[in-house]
Amino acid sequence: MANIKYQTNKGKIIEGNSIELLSGDMKEELKGSVNLIITSPPFPLNNKKQYGNEKGDEYLKWFVEMAPIFSDLLTEDGSLVIEIGNSWEPNRPVQSLLHLECLFGLVKHPDANLRLIQEFICYNPSKLPSPAQWVTVNRFRTVDSYTHVWWLAKSDFPKADNGKVLRPYSKSMLALLKRKKYNSGKRPSEHHISEDGFLKDNGGSIAHNFFEMEQVDNNREVRLPHSVLSFSNTNSNDYFLKTCREKGINPHPARMSGGLVNFFINFLTDENDLVLDPFSGSNTTGYCAEKLNRKWISFEILKEYIDQAIIRFSETETNHQLVETYE
């Protein structure tokens, strides 16, 4: 029996080990019904964190065993989006290949049916220097400032619509659309640009697979997709962080970016589709899904992070009453 701790009119938070629950009691209940699994599992760090993380071969085994579970949960056109950071060899200034082995393990698992659709890069210039021993102490390496985001699916053609995550046009493109002409013809790259190929107003330009979580250059306009909410894990004005400070709570140290979650929910699902996060932490995924009118299920093994999740839903702009079922 699932131990539901909080629920709203669209979703619920379940306390417990998601892999055990989704392999057992909940397997048949959710089989083939999840449109999007989006998560940031514990990264393979050399130092043990409070939120739990394995290392080396143990991490690889744990990670790869999720492949058939996730494959069974997804609808035939469903997607799996996983964010994972880099790792380093213990006590060595050498980057580990563990994250790549994890990816290969997912797509090559004999009991799963997953393939890599596209890789995204999530760049965060505010990340602390890491690995500290080889960046700030010995100064052998540069700052590890990005994470990988893998989009996998059961089908070569999963549900997706990049028209729902368009970026605003640049000023030069807006000017081009206004004057209705540009230099067409053959380019040095040998591409041939037609006379009217860029004259149709599609409402924006197609998004890139590079996420700039904070503006790198203040003199350059950052054009995020319309659907991406402008809040960042490092934003001091974020409602969640402000409330945590007021209550003397140490927030989850590895929160997934809300803008990232919003992007993929809009890109890969429709309203009332089901979104699932097996490692939800303070439940950014559920919060975003609720605001975007998707059904959602989140799992978290630590009670203190479930307690933090309620803070997100206490924001008045959420416009959804959270029903407390805490025992």
Side-chain angles (χ1 to χ4, degrees), residues 114 119 129 140 204 229 325:
L114 298 171
E119 181 176 11
F140 291 155
L229 295 180
T325 59

Side-chain angles (χ1 to χ4, degrees), residues 236-255:
S236 61
N237 293 320
D238 176 84
Y239 173 84
F240 172 75
L241 292 180
K242 285 199 302 182
T243 306
C244 283
R245 286 197 297 269
E246 292 169 0
K247 295 180 178 292
I249 296 172
N250 291 323
H252 192 290
R255 300 176 306 283

